[in-house]
Amino acid sequence: MIAEIISIGTELLMGQVLDTNAQFLSRRLSALGVTHQRRSTVGDNPVRLKETYAAALGRADVLITSGGLGPTGDDITKSVLAELLEEPLVVREDALARLKERFSRMNRVMPESNIVQAAFTKDSIILPNENGTAPGAIVPCDRFGAGKIVIHLPGPPAELEAMFDASVAPYLQKRSGSALVSRYIRIFGMGESEAETRVKDLTQGSNPTLSPYCSPGEVMLRATALCSCPSEGAAMLAPLVSKVRDRLGDVVYAVEETDGGSLAKTVIALLIDKHQTLSVAESVTGGMLSSMLVSVPGASRVYAGGFITYMNERKEAFTGVRHETLTRYGAVSEPCAIQMAEGALLRAGTDIAVSVTGCAGPDSDERNTPVGQVFAGVAVRGRAYAKALRLTGSRQHIRALACLHALNLVRMELIKGDASALNE
Amino acid sequence: MIAEIISIGTELLMGQVLDTNAQFLSRRLSALGVTHQRRSTVGDNPVRLKETYAAALGRADVLITSGGLGPTGDDITKSVLAELLEEPLVVREDALARLKERFSRMNRVMPESNIVQAAFTKDSIILPNENGTAPGAIVPCDRFGAGKIVIHLPGPPAELEAMFDASVAPYLQKRSGSALVSRYIRIFGMGESEAETRVKDLTQGSNPTLSPYCSPGEVMLRATALCSCPSEGAAMLAPLVSKVRDRLGDVVYAVEETDGGSLAKTVIALLIDKHQTLSVAESVTGGMLSSMLVSVPGASRVYAGGFITYMNERKEAFTGVRHETLTRYGAVSEPCAIQMAEGALLRAGTDIAVSVTGCAGPDSDERNTPVGQVFAGVAVRGRAYAKALRLTGSRQHIRALACLHALNLVRMELIKGDASALNE
């Protein structure tokens, strides 16, 4: 089964909107084992859209469109295809009823112009939209070849993603008669090439497969089984995932069924599991580390908060860093990181505290600390330590990497009881 | 002049990489006044790439490719075009010398495989790459029509963006014989439709033009003049920008020559200008507000840091919120926001302090505070106030909007001396 994606909307060509839908659909098609060879982006122009439809239907079995299902004159996705198929768009009473009901739930009367959102060619399968007004559709296009279809999805990402997962993925799986089940193996603390070398022989298999899966600033592996049902897939994947864990050890911080994990999520889950509380003292990261923790729903059960000591003198005032530590070693130093963590532990009254201090650039500080020099510290009752890091990249990238390293120190402390013994 | 973009790389079709290059190029083409009607994405497949080149060269004057200029067998961008043009790729000694020099600066010997990066068809204009090894090129394709060209750019965004701005933009401007000069007018505190209504008549002009420019969570207008040189453009734009400022008032927080501003940048600049220092007390935003401030280089001159009081009892401990305030009004309340700001002001010893407390969901808190209820507070010596907000969207979106509202309160305090008098 060969698929193509057509992203529709002049706002995409103007660069006003970043096409995250195309990436979402590409990942899902790849996870479903559907071959995806081309993607086209066109504006709200009937002539060019028609040409694009015709060319793509000549090549592919399944076309997926995103956007252009709204009620205005610019929304031509359905009508241009109907014209190409030489079939009229007919208002479907079931879809119209759902649309009217949606408006009445919002205490609004449906404008006349929205009726067009309930109109489809006659054999279309209508896909309900849980997050917006525009229904999607699976439109048979047999005149271009037996079994060929176009799948219309709405443009807003929340609507498109929910509709794909609820209606399109099961349809495509059923059609192909098989299922693809995956495990996402998330890694921190080992480079991509090192990780790949250690599992190289495991990546040679044809079913299940194991392959690197890129994500900015992260290393991930994906194990995927082609199978007849999810439980069979789970059974096929378990021994492979177990081998990967054996080869890589503690750098594997999560194994999940979907691509939605993060180090912060793992840390919050570990804290809950072990009944521990956490606080932070941040300098160079300036709240970014805390914000990552707070982005996890439920964080307030175990994450207390902390201190942002951006100006040096606040390191003394907020976290009790000693004045002579700052004058002797500077703010970007191991002793300062340790004292920041100790101060947060004491003042926030948590079981663990983590600190970050460093220089993210663009310029060195007044002590000529090199850009990218960072120290992350951890304190627990009776014990504290810090790790020196040399990070590279832009100011934002250095800050983000520093947060991930700090989160990983907390993770190692939680699973080992002493992350200070860690090798690099 | 009609342009098309071709994004090349199997990693794009697999969804491993989000195509931010396409958005960057689209925005730049639009700013340069170049018509851009289609975009294609293809993998590292010679047959499909050749078809895509031929079809696009049939329609457009300028094709811009991104990706596939590396030294490996997968990198086919130049060779497939050369084949279509029936011209050989020839190693260019100037490009080879620069490439070798780059490797020697990194203390590495250039691998033999990299020589191909210095090979181009004979009339190509080579574009230097300041941030990587792969040079770009402007390749004449007159056999498809007089003056037609293909512009090859490297895939990594930092390399592509710098090369476009340094080499491609001036080339396209020179070719079109005119310049486009823009001003980006950034707005906070007024909805898009309200802002558009107030300047509607100004958007009818043909040169200079004024049009809405979408950016997630923000409202922006772009004024653009088609002119013969930048100084002429500046003179054409000044009266238009001045009229927009008159119509919209204080909601205009920045007018800039490029699309790179932010509320945090404006706030840091105002603080520096007015010799004031700032601290924060964050609950629901959990460090995100602080992180936005720290993302501005030079923030440490005026931004002290602050307190993350994520668990309720830390609101008392860190910022001195009174216990009875929490029991009587709850943590998501006007009195709590005011006391958080007052506490940060006192304990951080700054001229201004800003606070945020609220409920971002996914669930209501134990007092049944509705998701999206947020209070932002400001304290200066002798005076404090808070603003109630009702925000909608996902947990992350509510948190980000809360940060922007808090930053805007600080901005208004700095320009007016009392933002509490503001109307909604």
Side-chain angles (χ1 to χ4, degrees), chain A residues 343-367:
Chain A
L345 188 81
L346 188 72
R347 295 177 186 209
T350 52
D351 301 306
I352 309 181
V354 59
S355 68
V356 196
T357 179
C359 178
D363 304 311
S364 299
D365 66 8
E366 67 288 351
R367 295 176 83 98

Side-chain angles (χ1 to χ4, degrees), chain A residues 38 51 294 314 348 395, chain B residues 38-39 51 294 314 348 395:
Chain A
R38 289 174 203 248
E51 281 172 22
V294 169
R314 269 61 176 196
R395 180 176 170 87
Chain B
R38 288 175 204 247
R39 185 196 299 164
E51 281 171 21
V294 168
R314 271 61 176 195
R395 180 177 171 87

Side-chain angles (χ1 to χ4, degrees), chain A residues 384-399:
Chain A
Y385 50 89
K387 182 173 176 175
L389 304 164
R390 280 303 283 273
L391 308 174
T392 55
S394 68
R395 180 176 170 87
Q396 286 302 89
H397 190 65
I398 287 172
R399 292 175 61 221

